[in-house]
């Protein structure tokens, strides 16, 4: 048998990274003479990355572009070969992470979002949080509109507070808030303006409480990326 030991399944890299591909081969009989590594982005696309001819059976995959990849290793002893199970890896651009990716804010009240970076910057990065045009005019950023992340606190979420007005006609309306920074893909969340607690039915209140519980990143239902 042969198995890929690096990268690990689901590992995420930044574009342009040099990724070490390594395998642990046993072909069943005879001495292993080579291990070849292949990548595919679709079932019909299988491309050779490189071949190792000696232990530790590793090759370097340089300047890997952004994308999702399925990797396989093929070990050969010259007369027979075995193929590993595929291992998935992702190369993604640095992103501003917003969590949760949707919240409900009652009229006259506020809600909180967590914002962080997916990759460590080399210098301080400023993240601007603003509502997209055309959204619910009753929703606004009341604090956290400008956040600064450093090489030491980049992964620690900082809070953004979204406030809702009290215009009855806007109940149920939505607005999308986007967090953006130079050199990073933007992150966003959808905010729904909920009716005040006193005007909700028991079902509405139950649903909103359940929704907030599930979407709260501290409760573990979603990953820091909102997955």
């Amino acid at each position: 048998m042969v198995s890929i030991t690096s990268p690990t399944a689901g590992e995420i890299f930044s574009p342009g990274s040099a990724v070490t591909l390594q395998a642990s081969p046993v072909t069943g009989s005879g001495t292993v003479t080579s291990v070849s590594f292949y990548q595919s982005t679709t079932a019909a696309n299988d491309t050779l990355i490189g071949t190792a001819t000696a232990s530790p059976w590793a090759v370097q995959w340089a300047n890997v572009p952004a994308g999702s990849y399925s990797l396989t290793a093929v070990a050969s002893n010259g007369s027979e070969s075995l193929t590993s199970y595929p291992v998935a890896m992702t190369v993604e651009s640095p992103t501003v992470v917003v969590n949760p990716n949707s919240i409900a804010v009652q009229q006259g009240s506020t809600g909180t979002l967590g914002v962080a970076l997916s990759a460590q910057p080399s210098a301080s990065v400023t993240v601007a949080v603003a509502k997209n045009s055309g959204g619910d005019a009753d929703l606004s950023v009341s604090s956290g509109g400008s956040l600064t992340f450093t090489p030491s606190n980049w992964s620690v979420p900082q809070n953004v507070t979204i406030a809702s007005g009290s215009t009855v006609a806007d109940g149920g309306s939505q607005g999308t808030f986007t967090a953006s920074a130079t050199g990073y893909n933007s992150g966003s969340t959808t905010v729904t303006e909920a009716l005040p607690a006193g005007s909700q039915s028991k079902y509405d209140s139950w649903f909103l409480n359940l929704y907030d519980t599930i979407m709260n990143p501290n409760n573990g239902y979603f990953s820091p990326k909102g997955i």
Side-chain angles (χ1 to χ4, degrees), residues 144-220:
S146 181
L147 306 171
T148 300
F149 293 90
T150 68
S152 60
N153 76 349
W154 60 277
S155 62
V156 179
Q158 297 186 39
N159 288 336
V160 176
T161 302
I162 307 297
S164 172
S166 55
T167 304
V168 176
D170 287 334
S173 298
Q174 294 182 328
T176 300
F177 290 77
T178 298
S180 56
T182 301
Y184 286 78
N185 290 335
S186 297
S188 63
T189 190
T190 300
V191 181
T192 301
E193 181 177 346
L195 293 173
S199 64
Q200 296 170 358
S201 67
K202 290 184 178 180
Y203 174 81
D204 290 335
S205 299
W206 172 84
F207 174 80
L208 288 172
N209 288 334
L210 178 63
Y211 180 90
D212 289 341
T213 298
I214 293 174
M215 298 306 295
N216 187 333
N218 295 324
N219 291 335

Side-chain angles (χ1 to χ4, degrees), residues 12-175:
I12 298 174
F13 299 88
S14 299
S17 295
V19 180
T20 299
L21 309 181
Q22 188 168 2
S24 175
V26 178
T27 59
S29 63
T31 302
V32 174
T33 57
S34 68
V35 176
S36 298
F37 295 89
Y38 295 85
Q39 65 92 357
S40 60
T41 51
T42 66
N45 175 16
D46 205 20
T47 304
L48 175 66
I49 299 171
T51 300
T53 57
S55 181
W57 311 111
V59 300
Q60 286 289 313
W61 188 12
N63 298 316
V64 185
S68 296
Y69 300 94
S70 178
L71 306 176
T72 52
V74 179
S76 173
N77 62 10
S79 61
E80 63 179 1
S81 63
L82 290 173
T83 302
S84 70
Y85 287 112
V87 168
M89 59 164 276
T90 302
V91 180
E92 63 178 24
S93 299
T95 302
V96 180
V97 179
V98 181
N99 192 29
N101 55 20
S102 62
I103 62 171
V105 180
Q106 290 183 347
Q107 289 184 336
S109 186
T110 60
T112 302
L113 308 171
V115 177
L117 303 180
S118 69
Q120 184 178 31
S122 58
S124 294
V125 171
T126 299
V127 174
V129 182
K131 185 180 64 179
N132 295 1
S133 61
D136 181 358
D138 233 15
L139 298 171
S140 62
V141 176
S142 63
S143 67
S146 181
L147 306 171
T148 300
F149 293 90
T150 68
S152 60
N153 76 349
W154 60 277
S155 62
V156 179
Q158 297 186 39
N159 288 336
V160 176
T161 302
I162 307 297
S164 172
S166 55
T167 304
V168 176
D170 287 334
S173 298
Q174 294 182 328

